Amino acid sequence: MEYSVPVLSIAFMTIVALTGIAIPIVLFIIFRKKYRADIMPFFVGCAVFIVFALLIERLINSLIFSSSVGKAIQSNIWFYGIFGGLMAGLFEETGRFTVFKTVLKKNCLNDKNALMYGAGHGGMEAFYILVFSMASNIVMSVMLNAGMADKLTAGVTDEAKLQTLYTIFAALAGTAPMTFLMSVVERIAAVALHISLSVLVWFAAKNGGKCFWFYPLALLLHAAVNSVAVILSRYVPSMWIIFAVIYVLSACCVVIAIKVWKKYSSKSSINVKTSTDKVVEALK
Protein backbone atom coordinates (compact mmCIF):
# COMPACT_ATOMS: atom_id res chain seq x y z
CA MET A 1 0.00 0.00 0.00
CA GLU A 2 1.25 3.46 -0.94
CA TYR A 3 1.34 6.21 1.69
CA SER A 4 1.70 9.92 1.04
CA VAL A 5 2.32 12.46 3.80
CA PRO A 6 1.31 16.07 2.99
CA VAL A 7 4.25 18.42 2.53
CA LEU A 8 2.58 20.85 4.94
CA SER A 9 2.59 18.14 7.59
CA ILE A 10 6.34 17.69 7.19
CA ALA A 11 6.79 21.48 7.37
CA PHE A 12 4.80 21.66 10.62
CA MET A 13 6.72 18.71 12.06
CA THR A 14 9.91 20.61 11.33
CA ILE A 15 8.53 23.70 13.09
CA VAL A 16 7.62 21.57 16.11
CA ALA A 17 11.12 20.05 16.25
CA LEU A 18 12.73 23.48 16.02
CA THR A 19 10.42 24.73 18.75
CA GLY A 20 11.60 21.86 20.95
CA ILE A 21 15.15 23.14 20.49
CA ALA A 22 14.17 26.78 20.99
CA ILE A 23 12.19 26.39 24.23
CA PRO A 24 15.10 25.45 26.53
CA ILE A 25 17.46 27.91 24.85
CA VAL A 26 15.06 30.85 25.13
CA LEU A 27 14.21 30.02 28.75
CA PHE A 28 17.90 29.76 29.62
CA ILE A 29 18.66 33.16 28.07
CA ILE A 30 15.70 34.84 29.79
CA PHE A 31 16.48 33.54 33.28
CA ARG A 32 20.21 34.12 32.86
CA LYS A 33 20.16 37.60 31.33
CA LYS A 34 17.00 39.12 32.78
CA TYR A 35 16.81 37.40 36.17
CA ARG A 36 20.53 36.80 36.71
CA ALA A 37 20.09 33.16 37.70
CA ASP A 38 23.06 30.80 37.88
CA ILE A 39 23.92 28.53 34.98
CA MET A 40 24.30 25.29 36.95
CA PRO A 41 20.63 24.84 38.00
CA PHE A 42 19.58 24.72 34.35
CA PHE A 43 21.83 21.79 33.50
CA VAL A 44 21.06 20.05 36.78
CA GLY A 45 17.38 20.29 35.83
CA CYS A 46 18.13 18.71 32.46
CA ALA A 47 20.05 15.90 34.17
CA VAL A 48 17.32 15.22 36.73
CA PHE A 49 14.71 14.80 34.00
CA ILE A 50 16.93 12.33 32.16
CA VAL A 51 17.92 10.31 35.24
CA PHE A 52 14.69 10.31 37.25
CA ALA A 53 12.07 10.38 34.45
CA LEU A 54 13.66 8.69 31.45
CA LEU A 55 15.81 6.13 33.26
CA ILE A 56 14.66 5.28 36.79
CA GLU A 57 10.92 5.88 36.36
CA ARG A 58 10.80 4.07 33.03
CA LEU A 59 12.76 1.11 34.39
CA ILE A 60 10.46 0.67 37.38
CA ASN A 61 7.34 1.17 35.27
CA SER A 62 8.49 -1.47 32.80
CA LEU A 63 9.09 -3.93 35.64
CA ILE A 64 5.65 -3.26 37.14
CA PHE A 65 3.82 -3.41 33.80
CA SER A 66 5.39 -6.77 32.99
CA SER A 67 3.72 -8.27 36.09
CA SER A 68 0.11 -9.38 36.50
CA VAL A 69 -0.58 -6.31 38.64
CA GLY A 70 0.81 -4.08 35.91
CA LYS A 71 -1.37 -5.69 33.28
CA ALA A 72 -4.41 -5.11 35.50
CA ILE A 73 -3.42 -1.44 35.85
CA GLN A 74 -3.04 -1.05 32.09
CA SER A 75 -6.44 -2.60 31.45
CA ASN A 76 -8.24 0.20 33.31
CA ILE A 77 -7.77 3.78 32.13
CA TRP A 78 -8.48 5.18 35.61
CA PHE A 79 -5.90 2.95 37.28
CA TYR A 80 -3.44 3.58 34.44
CA GLY A 81 -3.88 7.36 34.54
CA ILE A 82 -3.64 7.65 38.31
CA PHE A 83 -0.71 5.22 38.53
CA GLY A 84 1.20 7.01 35.76
CA GLY A 85 0.53 10.41 37.32
CA LEU A 86 1.67 9.31 40.77
CA MET A 87 4.84 7.73 39.40
CA ALA A 88 5.71 10.86 37.42
CA GLY A 89 5.05 13.05 40.43
CA LEU A 90 6.97 10.79 42.80
CA PHE A 91 10.14 10.50 40.74
CA GLU A 92 10.34 13.98 39.26
CA GLU A 93 9.46 15.89 42.43
CA THR A 94 11.74 13.66 44.49
CA GLY A 95 14.47 14.37 41.96
CA ARG A 96 13.92 18.10 42.40
CA PHE A 97 13.91 17.88 46.18
CA THR A 98 17.06 15.72 46.24
CA VAL A 99 19.18 18.03 44.11
CA PHE A 100 17.91 21.16 45.87
CA LYS A 101 19.11 19.65 49.17
CA THR A 102 22.44 18.46 47.78
CA VAL A 103 23.90 19.53 44.44
CA LEU A 104 22.23 22.96 44.40
CA LYS A 105 22.45 23.68 48.11
CA LYS A 106 25.10 26.36 47.51
CA ASN A 107 22.86 28.05 44.93
CA CYS A 108 19.98 28.60 47.36
CA LEU A 109 20.89 32.25 48.07
CA ASN A 110 19.34 33.28 44.78
CA ASP A 111 15.73 32.10 44.63
CA LYS A 112 15.66 32.81 40.90
CA ASN A 113 17.63 29.58 40.54
CA ALA A 114 14.35 27.74 41.19
CA LEU A 115 13.09 29.21 37.92
CA MET A 116 16.31 28.34 36.12
CA TYR A 117 16.09 24.75 37.36
CA GLY A 118 12.47 24.53 36.17
CA ALA A 119 13.56 25.85 32.78
CA GLY A 120 16.14 23.07 32.53
CA HIS A 121 13.79 20.31 33.70
CA GLY A 122 10.81 21.40 31.62
CA GLY A 123 12.98 22.49 28.70
CA MET A 124 14.70 19.12 28.48
CA GLU A 125 11.34 17.35 28.56
CA ALA A 126 10.11 19.60 25.74
CA PHE A 127 13.29 18.89 23.76
CA TYR A 128 12.94 15.14 24.27
CA ILE A 129 9.25 14.97 23.38
CA LEU A 130 9.17 17.44 20.49
CA VAL A 131 12.53 16.88 18.82
CA PHE A 132 12.89 13.11 19.06
CA SER A 133 9.30 12.30 18.11
CA MET A 134 9.20 14.76 15.22
CA ALA A 135 12.63 13.76 13.90
CA SER A 136 11.43 10.17 13.64
CA ASN A 137 8.18 11.27 12.00
CA ILE A 138 9.99 13.48 9.50
CA VAL A 139 12.35 10.68 8.44
CA MET A 140 9.45 8.26 8.04
CA SER A 141 7.39 10.80 6.10
CA VAL A 142 10.18 11.61 3.66
CA MET A 143 10.82 7.92 3.04
CA LEU A 144 7.11 7.20 2.56
CA ASN A 145 6.80 10.03 0.04
CA ALA A 146 9.84 8.66 -1.77
CA GLY A 147 8.15 5.27 -2.06
CA MET A 148 10.56 3.62 0.39
CA ALA A 149 8.03 2.13 2.79
CA ASP A 150 9.48 -1.31 2.14
CA LYS A 151 12.83 -0.19 3.58
CA LEU A 152 11.12 0.90 6.79
CA THR A 153 9.60 -2.55 7.21
CA ALA A 154 12.61 -4.50 6.00
CA GLY A 155 13.72 -7.07 8.53
CA VAL A 156 10.53 -6.79 10.61
CA THR A 157 9.16 -10.32 10.88
CA ASP A 158 6.92 -9.94 13.93
CA GLU A 159 3.35 -9.44 12.68
CA ALA A 160 2.36 -7.23 15.63
CA LYS A 161 5.31 -4.87 15.08
CA LEU A 162 4.58 -4.82 11.37
CA GLN A 163 0.96 -3.81 11.99
CA THR A 164 2.17 -1.11 14.39
CA LEU A 165 4.37 0.35 11.65
CA TYR A 166 1.51 0.32 9.16
CA THR A 167 -0.68 2.08 11.71
CA ILE A 168 2.00 4.77 12.12
CA PHE A 169 2.29 5.16 8.35
CA ALA A 170 -1.46 5.58 8.02
CA ALA A 171 -1.54 8.10 10.87
CA LEU A 172 1.20 10.21 9.32
CA ALA A 173 -0.56 10.20 5.97
CA GLY A 174 -4.04 10.81 7.35
CA THR A 175 -3.41 13.32 10.14
CA ALA A 176 -4.37 16.92 9.38
CA PRO A 177 -1.21 19.07 9.16
CA MET A 178 -2.36 21.52 11.86
CA THR A 179 -2.66 18.64 14.34
CA PHE A 180 1.11 18.35 14.61
CA LEU A 181 1.31 21.88 16.03
CA MET A 182 -0.89 20.88 18.95
CA SER A 183 2.10 19.29 20.70
CA VAL A 184 3.69 22.74 20.99
CA VAL A 185 0.54 24.09 22.64
CA GLU A 186 0.63 21.24 25.16
CA ARG A 187 4.33 21.75 25.92
CA ILE A 188 3.85 25.42 26.83
CA ALA A 189 1.49 24.41 29.63
CA ALA A 190 3.84 21.61 30.68
CA VAL A 191 6.85 23.93 30.94
CA ALA A 192 4.83 26.42 33.00
CA LEU A 193 3.83 23.54 35.26
CA HIS A 194 7.43 22.39 35.71
CA ILE A 195 8.63 25.88 36.63
CA SER A 196 5.76 26.28 39.12
CA LEU A 197 6.43 22.91 40.76
CA SER A 198 10.13 23.75 40.93
CA VAL A 199 9.27 26.86 42.95
CA LEU A 200 7.20 24.83 45.42
CA VAL A 201 9.85 22.16 45.92
CA TRP A 202 12.60 24.79 46.08
CA PHE A 203 11.09 26.42 49.16
CA ALA A 204 10.26 23.03 50.66
CA ALA A 205 13.93 22.06 50.42
CA LYS A 206 15.32 25.47 51.32
CA ASN A 207 13.13 26.35 54.30
CA GLY A 208 11.90 22.98 55.56
CA GLY A 209 9.65 23.07 58.62
CA LYS A 210 6.23 24.45 57.74
CA CYS A 211 7.29 24.73 54.10
CA PHE A 212 8.14 21.04 53.74
CA TRP A 213 4.55 20.21 52.78
CA PHE A 214 5.12 22.07 49.49
CA TYR A 215 7.04 18.96 48.37
CA PRO A 216 4.12 16.49 48.70
CA LEU A 217 1.82 19.22 47.37
CA ALA A 218 3.96 19.47 44.22
CA LEU A 219 3.91 15.69 43.91
CA LEU A 220 0.11 15.57 44.10
CA LEU A 221 -0.36 18.51 41.71
CA HIS A 222 1.98 16.87 39.20
CA ALA A 223 0.11 13.57 39.55
CA ALA A 224 -3.28 15.27 39.21
CA VAL A 225 -2.42 17.07 35.96
CA ASN A 226 -0.91 13.96 34.36
CA SER A 227 -3.75 11.70 35.52
CA VAL A 228 -6.48 14.02 34.25
CA ALA A 229 -4.77 14.33 30.85
CA VAL A 230 -4.56 10.55 30.41
CA ILE A 231 -8.09 9.81 31.63
CA LEU A 232 -9.69 12.57 29.56
CA SER A 233 -7.95 11.26 26.43
CA ARG A 234 -10.14 8.18 26.69
CA TYR A 235 -13.48 9.98 27.11
CA VAL A 236 -13.09 13.36 25.39
CA PRO A 237 -12.79 13.29 21.58
CA SER A 238 -11.53 16.87 21.21
CA MET A 239 -7.86 17.46 22.08
CA TRP A 240 -8.58 21.17 22.38
CA ILE A 241 -10.95 20.52 25.27
CA ILE A 242 -8.30 18.38 26.95
CA PHE A 243 -5.70 21.12 26.42
CA ALA A 244 -8.10 23.69 27.87
CA VAL A 245 -8.42 21.60 31.03
CA ILE A 246 -4.65 21.14 31.22
CA TYR A 247 -4.14 24.90 30.84
CA VAL A 248 -6.61 25.60 33.64
CA LEU A 249 -4.86 23.13 35.94
CA SER A 250 -1.43 24.48 35.02
CA ALA A 251 -2.65 28.04 35.59
CA CYS A 252 -3.83 27.04 39.07
CA CYS A 253 -0.35 25.67 39.80
CA VAL A 254 1.20 28.91 38.54
CA VAL A 255 -1.05 30.94 40.85
CA ILE A 256 -0.09 28.76 43.82
CA ALA A 257 3.61 29.10 42.97
CA ILE A 258 3.31 32.90 42.69
CA LYS A 259 1.66 33.11 46.11
CA VAL A 260 4.37 30.93 47.64
CA TRP A 261 7.05 32.99 45.91
CA LYS A 262 5.68 36.29 47.18
CA LYS A 263 5.49 34.97 50.74
CA TYR A 264 8.81 33.15 51.04
CA SER A 265 11.19 34.62 48.48
CA SER A 266 13.89 36.76 50.07
CA LYS A 267 14.40 40.05 48.27
CA SER A 268 17.85 40.40 49.72
CA SER A 269 18.85 36.98 48.41
CA ILE A 270 17.32 37.67 45.00
CA ASN A 271 19.46 40.78 44.61
CA VAL A 272 22.65 39.20 45.91
CA LYS A 273 24.24 39.04 42.48
CA THR A 274 23.30 42.62 41.67
CA SER A 275 24.79 43.83 44.96
CA THR A 276 27.99 41.88 44.36
CA ASP A 277 28.31 43.39 40.90
CA LYS A 278 27.99 46.90 42.37
CA VAL A 279 30.75 46.19 44.89
CA VAL A 280 33.01 44.92 42.13
CA GLU A 281 32.34 48.02 40.08
CA ALA A 282 33.10 50.27 43.06
CA LEU A 283 36.41 48.49 43.66
CA LYS A 284 37.38 49.07 40.05
Side-chain angles (χ1 to χ4, degrees):
M1 182 177 178
E2 293 293 328
Y3 298 93
S4 178
V5 181
V7 175
L8 191 57
S9 292
I10 298 176
F12 285 162
M13 287 183 223
T14 304
I15 291 174
V16 171
L18 293 175
T19 303
I21 297 172
I23 287 175
I25 293 174
V26 170
L27 289 174
F28 176 85
I29 293 173
I30 291 174
F31 290 128
R32 178 61 178 169
K33 297 296 184 181
K34 185 175 180 179
Y35 295 102
R36 308 182 70 81
D38 298 332
I39 294 175
M40 187 176 178
F42 179 87
F43 292 101
V44 171
C46 294
V48 167
F49 171 73
I50 294 172
V51 174
F52 282 81
L54 296 186
L55 298 179
I56 301 177
E57 182 189 345
R58 276 195 173 185
L59 175 61
I60 294 178
N61 280 345
S62 63
L63 292 175
I64 293 174
F65 288 146
S66 63
S67 67
S68 57
V69 174
K71 289 179 172 58
I73 291 173
Q74 290 177 292
S75 66
N76 185 296
I77 189 62
W78 286 84
F79 290 160
Y80 182 68
I82 294 172
F83 173 82
L86 286 173
M87 292 295 279
L90 175 63
F91 284 99
E92 293 188 56
E93 303 317 314
T94 299
R96 287 186 228 268
F97 188 84
T98 301
V99 296
F100 289 164
K101 294 291 285 185
T102 56
V103 180
L104 296 178
K105 192 171 184 178
K106 293 182 178 179
N107 301 86
C108 68
L109 288 177
N110 185 358
D111 290 332
K112 298 293 180 67
N113 288 330
L115 306 178
M116 182 63 103
Y117 171 91
H121 192 128
M124 176 54 70
E125 184 180 63
F127 178 87
Y128 175 78
I129 291 176
L130 299 183
V131 176
F132 281 89
S133 62
M134 287 303 121
S136 175
N137 287 343
I138 291 169
V139 171
M140 280 191 180
S141 299
V142 171
M143 292 183 70
L144 289 175
N145 287 355
M148 301 167 65
D150 56 323
K151 291 189 177 181
L152 291 171
T153 57
V156 180
T157 56
D158 184 87
E159 186 61 28
K161 291 183 179 179
L162 199 59
Q163 289 304 315
T164 298
L165 280 175
Y166 289 142
T167 300
I168 294 173
F169 297 163
L172 288 173
T175 300
M178 283 293 294
T179 303
F180 292 102
L181 296 178
M182 295 175 74
S183 56
V184 174
V185 177
E186 184 269 340
R187 275 301 99 195
I188 293 173
V191 170
L193 177 66
H194 277 297
I195 294 176
S196 301
L197 297 177
S198 296
V199 169
L200 296 181
V201 179
W202 174 270
F203 288 111
K206 178 182 178 180
N207 297 341
K210 294 181 179 180
C211 291
F212 178 78
W213 73 277
F214 293 150
Y215 161 56
L217 174 63
L219 192 161
L220 292 175
L221 289 173
H222 193 152
V225 175
N226 282 26
S227 299
V228 169
V230 172
I231 294 170
L232 285 182
S233 66
R234 173 66 62 87
Y235 300 106
V236 180
S238 173
M239 285 301 298
W240 291 112
I241 294 177
I242 297 175
F243 285 168
V245 174
I246 292 174
Y247 264 79
V248 170
L249 294 176
S250 296
C252 291
C253 293
V254 170
V255 171
I256 294 172
I258 290 174
K259 289 183 178 296
V260 170
W261 181 279
K262 288 181 177 180
K263 184 173 182 179
Y264 294 100
S265 179
S266 170
K267 291 184 178 180
S268 59
S269 69
I270 292 173
N271 296 324
V272 66
K273 279 184 169 290
T274 303
S275 300
T276 303
D277 291 344
K278 289 181 179 179
V279 172
V280 172
E281 288 297 323
L283 291 174
K284 288 181 179 180

